[in-house]
Amino acid sequence: MQLADASTAGSAAGSTASTTAATASPARPPRVCFVNLGAVAALDSGHDDHPVGGEEVQHALLASAFAAKGWDVSLVTHDLGQADGARIDGVRVHGCYAPHAGWPGLRFITPRWTGLHAALRRADADVYYTSCAGSLIGQVALFAQLHQRRTVFRIASDTDCVPARVLVGTARERALYHWGLRRCDVVLAQTPLQVDLMQQHHRIAAALAPMLIDLPEDTAAIQHAPRDIDVLWVANLRALKRPEMLVEAARQLPHLKFHLVGGATEAEPEVAERVTQAARDVPNLTLHGRRGYRDTLTLFARARVFVSTSHTEGFPNTFLQAWAHEVPSVSFFDPDGLVARHGLGARIDAFEALVQAIDRLSSDPTHHAHAAQACRTFMRTRYRRDALLAPYEQAFMTLHSGPTDDRTGARPCLA
């Protein structure tokens, strides 16, 4: 796969990577463990029936990219039947527990916490990396603290930065999140806004680390691809994503072909039920259900317009996937104001404006061609491989040269 990211990443990478670590380079790259319970489904196409979101994709891309550079990379994830320690795309994968294993009320401790702890030990990394608000960062930070390892946390959504808005279900999970956040060695952010929010609400200095993206290798094929999907919507079916709004837009624009990709979530199965019910009398709307990561990319290659109806986001993978395939976006959210500044589609603030923007981009060839050209120019000039990995690599290397690791690479044994 070809990887790229924002050219601004390199200059932002070292702004606040660590205030305590030394700057000398270690003798070897650190052993890095990425911790994301669903990422194996993004890394391995054999698990397309399991849910994959933006952060699962990000962990898989990051792990594969560093493995390709020759680093010792591991991934701690759900046990989906893969052999423990097996290498997938160069990444050593350790399963911690099956998604639904254990008894309610007890499974948070065993097998979930005990299984996670055991998998982290088997990974035996110098640096542990995770993302998203939740109890996981508290568990990982505690493990690292007990074993003199280092921890990196990457903000996944603007809501991760604001205590009153954090999207974490229980008081226990919120407490573990805030406890772990304050004990991370490095906090990385997707956008300057997240840097500001983290400083404002937590007094934590975060460094910029923009998103990774799979760039299509055959750009000529992208430009000449048949665009038989007028409007594409991709996300897990959660209330905050507001998929019913896409269904209603399809109803009001019967001359356009709408495709909705997304599966039910364990926490909100009723959202998928509502969408299915609402779509029954909308013949121009195709419901795909859950699709694998690579299958979804093929749909982006067929689309003319990408739509996001979510009312809150971080920096969605889907925006980059759309722009990489020269598909303008229509959304209620404009990450860093990029859509408005670069003409990458339309940012709207009401349902009526959503319908109008979709209709214009889909039906006006000149307007669509200008927006598609803007997407092509933006991705080619602003995204490249070196800048992609620079902030992550600097954070990992700086932590590795800190006081818990000598120049020979010796460290406490986890065996």
Side-chain angles (χ1 to χ4, degrees):
M1 62 180 64
Q2 181 186 0
L3 299 174
D5 205 328
S7 59
T8 56
S11 61
S15 59
T16 53
S18 174
T19 59
T20 59
T23 58
S25 297
R28 60 163 176 81
R31 301 174 180 90
V32 179
C33 177
F34 294 88
V35 187
N36 182 291
L37 301 184
V40 68
L43 188 66
D44 183 359
S45 60
H47 302 292
D48 286 349
D49 55 331
H50 291 268
V52 171
E55 283 308 297
E56 285 76 19
V57 171
Q58 287 298 304
H59 278 252
L61 291 176
L62 266 172
S64 297
F66 277 101
K69 288 170 66 70
W71 289 36
D72 186 335
V73 178
S74 56
L75 171 69
V76 167
T77 186
H78 274 144
D79 180 357
L80 301 183
Q82 70 274 10
D84 190 71
R87 289 194 179 272
I88 303 174
D89 205 9
V91 180
R92 192 162 31 88
V93 178
H94 297 283
C96 50
Y97 55 84
H100 301 291
W103 293 94
L106 296 176
R107 61 188 177 194
F108 180 78
I109 300 299
T110 183
R112 295 187 174 181
W113 195 315
T114 57
L116 175 66
H117 185 95
L120 295 174
R121 286 179 66 92
R122 295 195 302 277
D124 194 17
D126 301 301
V127 179
Y128 291 82
Y129 171 100
T130 190
S131 64
C132 292
S135 59
L136 188 62
I137 183 56
Q139 296 168 296
V140 173
L142 177 60
F143 173 89
Q145 193 172 75
L146 290 173
H147 297 285
Q148 300 178 48
R149 306 306 166 93
R150 313 306 288 270
T151 311
V152 176
F153 175 74
R154 217 286 308 282
I155 300 164
S157 171
D158 296 352
T159 58
D160 291 358
C161 309
V162 184
R165 297 177 59 204
V166 66
L167 301 175
V168 177
T170 68
R172 177 181 62 196
E173 291 174 323
R174 287 192 295 272
L176 277 168
Y177 170 58
H178 292 297
W179 186 91
L181 181 63
R182 296 190 175 279
R183 285 159 179 81
C184 289
D185 297 287
V186 169
V187 174
L188 300 176
Q190 299 167 317
T191 66
L193 174 61
Q194 292 175 357
V195 173
D196 293 342
L197 290 173
M198 189 57 69
Q199 179 64 44
Q200 176 185 345
H201 292 281
H202 294 280
R203 298 295 185 264
I204 292 175
L208 278 174
M211 305 286 283
L212 283 69
I213 180 65
D214 266 328
L215 282 180
E217 296 183 5
D218 190 347
T219 55
I222 291 297
Q223 294 176 34
H224 297 97
R227 302 287 180 167
D228 59 341
I229 297 174
D230 293 310
V231 182
L232 179 65
W233 186 101
V234 180
N236 287 319
L237 297 182
R238 303 170 60 194
L240 66 85
K241 303 293 185 180
R242 303 190 295 188
E244 296 98 332
M245 193 175 289
L246 192 281
V247 177
E248 183 57 31
R251 183 177 284 110
Q252 296 200 19
L253 296 169
H255 58 289
L256 299 178
K257 297 176 182 178
F258 285 70
H259 287 238
L260 185 150
V261 179
T265 65
E266 185 176 352
E268 299 176 276
E270 69 282 357
V271 177
E273 294 173 4
R274 290 200 303 266
V275 169
T276 301
Q277 180 64 32
R280 286 178 177 171
D281 64 343
V282 186
N284 60 320
L285 173 60
T286 300
L287 299 183
H288 288 271
R290 180 172 291 117
R291 296 287 292 266
Y293 169 60
R294 302 189 193 289
D295 284 346
T296 302
L297 291 182
T298 65
L299 296 178
F300 277 106
R302 295 168 51 195
R304 290 180 55 78
V305 176
F306 170 72
V307 169
S308 170
T309 50
S310 176
H311 63 75
T312 184
E313 290 284 359
F315 197 127
N317 286 268
T318 48
F319 281 55
L320 293 177
Q321 290 161 1
W323 301 337
H325 287 86
E326 302 179 15
V327 181
S329 60
V330 177
S331 68
F332 289 81
F333 177 80
D334 186 356
D336 280 349
L338 294 175
V339 174
R341 288 204 310 273
H342 298 279
L344 306 176
R347 189 265 184 192
I348 42 83
D349 55 12
F351 175 75
E352 293 75 14
L354 171 71
V355 173
Q356 293 171 5
I358 292 173
D359 195 25
R360 185 185 180 200
L361 269 172
S362 301
S363 306
D364 183 337
T366 301
H367 183 54
H368 183 273
H370 287 162
Q373 175 64 51
C375 293
R376 179 164 59 252
T377 301
F378 177 77
M379 295 302 291
R380 287 184 178 180
T381 58
R382 294 282 297 273
Y383 282 67
R384 68 175 191 267
R385 183 185 177 92
D386 290 345
L388 165 92
L389 295 177
Y392 301 94
E393 183 169 347
Q394 180 163 341
F396 297 154
M397 294 292 284
T398 303
L399 288 178
H400 186 44
S401 64
T404 61
D405 199 330
D406 66 22
R407 296 299 176 266
T408 66
R411 64 215 162 112
C413 180
L414 295 186

